[in-house]
Amino acid sequence: MKVLAIAGSNSDTSINKMLVSYAASLIPNAEVEIVDMNAFEMPIYKHQREVENGVPQEAKDFASKIDGADVLLVSLAEHNGTYSSAFKNVFDWTSRIKDRAVWNEKPMLLMATAPGARGGLGVLEASGKRFPLHGGNIVDTFTLPFFNDNFDKAAQKISNEEKDSELKEKIQKISALESILEK
Protein backbone atom coordinates (compact mmCIF):
# COMPACT_ATOMS: atom_id res chain seq x y z
CA MET A 1 0.00 0.00 0.00
CA LYS A 2 1.32 3.43 -0.95
CA VAL A 3 0.59 5.99 1.74
CA LEU A 4 0.96 9.71 1.24
CA ALA A 5 1.23 11.48 4.60
CA ILE A 6 0.56 15.20 4.34
CA ALA A 7 1.12 17.71 7.12
CA GLY A 8 -0.75 20.89 6.26
CA SER A 9 1.91 23.14 7.74
CA ASN A 10 5.14 24.73 6.58
CA SER A 11 6.61 24.84 10.09
CA ASP A 12 10.00 23.18 10.55
CA THR A 13 8.75 21.92 13.93
CA SER A 14 5.19 21.04 12.86
CA ILE A 15 3.25 19.06 15.45
CA ASN A 16 0.93 17.93 12.66
CA LYS A 17 3.91 16.50 10.79
CA MET A 18 4.86 14.59 13.96
CA LEU A 19 1.31 13.26 14.25
CA VAL A 20 0.94 12.24 10.61
CA SER A 21 4.41 10.62 10.63
CA TYR A 22 3.45 8.59 13.68
CA ALA A 23 0.12 7.60 12.12
CA ALA A 24 1.87 6.49 8.92
CA SER A 25 4.31 4.37 10.93
CA LEU A 26 1.35 2.34 12.23
CA ILE A 27 0.38 1.01 8.78
CA PRO A 28 2.09 -2.35 8.34
CA ASN A 29 4.08 -3.02 5.16
CA ALA A 30 3.26 0.40 3.74
CA GLU A 31 5.38 2.41 1.37
CA VAL A 32 5.14 5.83 3.04
CA GLU A 33 6.03 9.25 1.71
CA ILE A 34 5.87 12.19 4.10
CA VAL A 35 5.06 15.42 2.26
CA ASP A 36 6.78 18.62 3.29
CA MET A 37 4.63 21.61 2.35
CA ASN A 38 7.81 23.66 1.90
CA ALA A 39 8.51 21.68 -1.27
CA PHE A 40 5.37 23.19 -2.79
CA GLU A 41 5.89 26.84 -2.04
CA MET A 42 4.58 29.01 -4.86
CA PRO A 43 3.11 32.47 -5.37
CA ILE A 44 -0.17 33.16 -3.61
CA TYR A 45 -3.01 32.13 -5.87
CA LYS A 46 -4.32 34.95 -8.01
CA HIS A 47 -6.55 34.51 -11.05
CA GLN A 48 -4.47 36.94 -13.10
CA ARG A 49 -1.32 34.89 -12.33
CA GLU A 50 -3.07 31.76 -13.49
CA VAL A 51 -4.21 33.41 -16.74
CA GLU A 52 -0.74 34.82 -17.44
CA ASN A 53 1.42 31.87 -16.32
CA GLY A 54 -0.81 28.83 -15.89
CA VAL A 55 -0.76 26.51 -12.90
CA PRO A 56 2.69 26.25 -11.28
CA GLN A 57 4.63 23.02 -11.61
CA GLU A 58 4.61 22.64 -7.81
CA ALA A 59 0.82 22.23 -7.83
CA LYS A 60 1.09 19.64 -10.59
CA ASP A 61 3.77 17.83 -8.59
CA PHE A 62 1.53 17.82 -5.50
CA ALA A 63 -1.33 16.40 -7.58
CA SER A 64 0.99 13.74 -8.97
CA LYS A 65 1.91 12.63 -5.46
CA ILE A 66 -1.79 12.27 -4.62
CA ASP A 67 -2.37 10.29 -7.80
CA GLY A 68 0.48 7.91 -6.95
CA ALA A 69 -0.92 7.06 -3.51
CA ASP A 70 -3.44 4.44 -2.48
CA VAL A 71 -4.32 6.17 0.79
CA LEU A 72 -3.93 9.69 2.15
CA LEU A 73 -3.19 10.62 5.74
CA VAL A 74 -3.75 14.36 6.10
CA SER A 75 -3.05 16.21 9.35
CA LEU A 76 -3.90 19.89 9.17
CA ALA A 77 -2.51 22.73 11.23
CA GLU A 78 -5.20 25.07 12.47
CA HIS A 79 -4.65 28.80 12.05
CA ASN A 80 -7.56 30.94 13.24
CA GLY A 81 -9.97 28.03 12.98
CA THR A 82 -9.07 26.91 9.48
CA TYR A 83 -6.17 25.73 7.26
CA SER A 84 -2.72 27.26 7.36
CA SER A 85 -2.07 29.69 4.53
CA ALA A 86 0.73 27.44 3.24
CA PHE A 87 -1.66 24.51 2.87
CA LYS A 88 -4.51 26.63 1.53
CA ASN A 89 -2.33 28.02 -1.24
CA VAL A 90 -1.27 24.54 -2.39
CA PHE A 91 -4.92 23.44 -2.19
CA ASP A 92 -6.06 26.48 -4.20
CA TRP A 93 -3.50 26.01 -6.96
CA THR A 94 -4.10 22.26 -7.17
CA SER A 95 -7.83 22.90 -7.51
CA ARG A 96 -7.09 24.90 -10.67
CA ILE A 97 -5.61 21.95 -12.57
CA LYS A 98 -7.99 21.31 -15.46
CA ASP A 99 -10.25 18.25 -15.25
CA ARG A 100 -9.18 17.06 -11.82
CA ALA A 101 -10.54 16.93 -8.31
CA VAL A 102 -7.83 17.83 -5.80
CA TRP A 103 -8.05 14.60 -3.78
CA ASN A 104 -8.99 12.36 -6.70
CA GLU A 105 -11.33 10.23 -4.50
CA LYS A 106 -8.39 8.68 -2.64
CA PRO A 107 -9.39 7.22 0.75
CA MET A 108 -8.31 9.66 3.45
CA LEU A 109 -7.85 9.73 7.20
CA LEU A 110 -8.24 13.39 8.08
CA MET A 111 -6.50 14.51 11.27
CA ALA A 112 -5.51 17.54 13.28
CA THR A 113 -3.71 18.33 16.48
CA ALA A 114 -3.13 21.51 18.45
CA PRO A 115 -1.78 22.58 21.84
CA GLY A 116 -5.29 23.44 23.08
CA ALA A 117 -8.39 21.58 24.20
CA ARG A 118 -10.11 21.53 20.80
CA GLY A 119 -7.18 19.83 19.10
CA GLY A 120 -7.81 21.42 15.73
CA LEU A 121 -11.55 20.75 15.57
CA GLY A 122 -12.11 23.98 13.63
CA VAL A 123 -9.89 22.92 10.76
CA LEU A 124 -11.42 19.42 10.78
CA GLU A 125 -14.89 20.93 10.51
CA ALA A 126 -13.82 23.26 7.68
CA SER A 127 -11.98 20.58 5.72
CA GLY A 128 -14.66 17.98 6.42
CA LYS A 129 -17.16 20.20 4.61
CA ARG A 130 -14.82 21.41 1.85
CA PHE A 131 -12.75 18.34 0.87
CA PRO A 132 -15.67 16.18 -0.38
CA LEU A 133 -16.45 18.96 -2.85
CA HIS A 134 -12.93 18.47 -4.23
CA GLY A 135 -12.84 14.68 -4.50
CA GLY A 136 -12.12 14.02 -0.83
CA ASN A 137 -13.07 10.51 0.25
CA ILE A 138 -12.86 10.98 4.03
CA VAL A 139 -12.97 7.52 5.60
CA ASP A 140 -12.53 8.78 9.16
CA THR A 141 -11.24 11.68 11.25
CA PHE A 142 -8.99 11.97 14.31
CA THR A 143 -8.06 14.83 16.58
CA LEU A 144 -5.40 14.99 19.28
CA PRO A 145 -6.03 17.81 21.78
CA PHE A 146 -3.35 19.12 24.14
CA PHE A 147 -0.54 17.93 21.87
CA ASN A 148 2.23 18.76 24.34
CA ASP A 149 0.58 16.66 27.05
CA ASN A 150 -0.51 13.77 24.81
CA PHE A 151 2.45 13.26 22.47
CA ASP A 152 5.92 12.12 23.49
CA LYS A 153 8.26 14.01 21.16
CA ALA A 154 11.31 11.97 22.17
CA ALA A 155 9.55 8.66 21.41
CA GLN A 156 7.66 10.20 18.45
CA LYS A 157 4.34 8.68 19.50
CA ILE A 158 1.08 9.43 21.27
CA SER A 159 1.53 9.02 25.02
CA ASN A 160 -2.17 9.17 25.94
CA GLU A 161 -3.26 5.52 25.84
CA GLU A 162 -6.91 6.26 25.05
CA LYS A 163 -6.07 8.56 22.12
CA ASP A 164 -3.37 6.15 20.91
CA SER A 165 -5.88 3.28 20.87
CA GLU A 166 -8.39 5.46 19.02
CA LEU A 167 -5.84 6.34 16.33
CA LYS A 168 -4.75 2.70 16.00
CA GLU A 169 -8.39 1.65 15.42
CA LYS A 170 -8.73 4.26 12.69
CA ILE A 171 -5.44 3.18 11.12
CA GLN A 172 -6.72 -0.42 11.09
CA LYS A 173 -9.78 0.80 9.20
CA ILE A 174 -7.54 2.51 6.61
CA SER A 175 -5.19 -0.51 6.45
CA ALA A 176 -8.15 -2.80 5.75
CA LEU A 177 -8.70 -0.89 2.51
CA GLU A 178 -5.57 -2.51 1.08
CA SER A 179 -7.46 -5.68 0.14
CA ILE A 180 -10.21 -3.61 -1.51
CA LEU A 181 -7.66 -1.46 -3.39
CA GLU A 182 -5.89 -4.51 -4.79
CA LYS A 183 -9.06 -5.73 -6.54
Side-chain angles (χ1 to χ4, degrees), residues 76 78 81-83 110-112 118 120-132 138 141 143:
L76 298 172
E78 182 176 273
T82 193
Y83 330 105
L110 184 58
M111 302 180 287
R118 289 181 37 87
L121 279 176
V123 73
L124 280 184
E125 291 166 358
S127 55
K129 290 177 183 174
R130 174 58 43 197
F131 285 9
I138 302 168
T141 62
T143 182

Side-chain angles (χ1 to χ4, degrees), residues 2 15 19 21 26 29 35 42 59 62 65 69 81-83 86-87 98 116 124 130 142 144 153 159 161 167:
K2 291 182 181 178
I15 60 177
L19 176 61
S21 296
L26 298 173
N29 305 313
V35 169
M42 55 194 125
F62 183 75
K65 289 191 178 295
T82 193
Y83 330 105
F87 174 80
K98 188 171 172 50
L124 280 184
R130 174 58 43 197
F142 176 79
L144 182 65
K153 290 181 184 177
S159 54
E161 289 181 26
L167 177 60

Side-chain angles (χ1 to χ4, degrees), residues 63 73-74 93 110 133 137 147 181:
L73 302 180
V74 180
W93 275 114
L110 184 58
L133 302 174
N137 177 8
F147 179 84
L181 295 169

Side-chain angles (χ1 to χ4, degrees), residues 50-62:
E50 180 185 2
V51 169
E52 291 172 1
N53 303 312
V55 175
Q57 185 61 46
E58 292 87 350
K60 295 173 186 173
D61 293 344
F62 183 75

Side-chain angles (χ1 to χ4, degrees):
M1 177 182 284
K2 291 182 181 178
V3 176
L4 188 64
I6 301 168
S9 170
N10 63 348
S11 169
D12 294 334
T13 58
S14 169
I15 60 177
N16 280 280
K17 189 171 187 178
M18 288 181 221
L19 176 61
V20 80
S21 296
Y22 173 62
S25 77
L26 298 173
I27 301 177
N29 305 313
E31 180 184 323
V32 176
E33 181 177 0
I34 310 290
V35 169
D36 183 345
M37 291 272 70
N38 291 300
F40 303 99
E41 196 168 305
M42 55 194 125
I44 294 173
Y45 178 78
K46 181 176 170 182
H47 180 71
Q48 187 176 351
R49 274 192 189 111
E50 180 185 2
V51 169
E52 291 172 1
N53 303 312
V55 175
Q57 185 61 46
E58 292 87 350
K60 295 173 186 173
D61 293 344
F62 183 75
S64 179
K65 289 191 178 295
I66 292 168
D67 294 345
D70 296 314
V71 170
L72 306 174
L73 302 180
V74 180
S75 189
L76 298 172
E78 182 176 273
H79 292 188
N80 298 313
T82 193
Y83 330 105
S84 70
S85 58
F87 174 80
K88 178 73 164 73
N89 195 49
V90 173
F91 181 76
D92 286 347
W93 275 114
T94 305
S95 76
R96 301 303 299 162
I97 298 172
K98 188 171 172 50
D99 298 324
R100 98 163 265 120
V102 173
W103 302 113
N104 208 12
E105 299 300 327
K106 299 289 178 160
M108 174 191 301
L109 174 59
L110 184 58
M111 302 180 287
T113 189
R118 289 181 37 87
L121 279 176
V123 73
L124 280 184
E125 291 166 358
S127 55
K129 290 177 183 174
R130 174 58 43 197
F131 285 9
L133 302 174
H134 296 273
N137 177 8
I138 302 168
V139 175
D140 214 333
T141 62
F142 176 79
T143 182
L144 182 65
F146 300 114
F147 179 84
N148 296 317
D149 297 331
N150 291 320
F151 194 91
D152 182 338
K153 290 181 184 177
Q156 290 296 297
K157 62 182 236 150
I158 295 174
S159 54
N160 177 305
E161 289 181 26
E162 186 178 314
K163 292 305 285 184
D164 195 47
S165 292
E166 179 187 342
L167 177 60
K168 286 177 178 174
E169 285 175 24
K170 292 172 187 241
I171 289 294
Q172 272 188 326
K173 190 174 178 181
I174 287 286
S175 297
L177 295 173
E178 183 173 25
S179 59
I180 295 168
L181 295 169
E182 290 175 349
K183 292 180 182 176

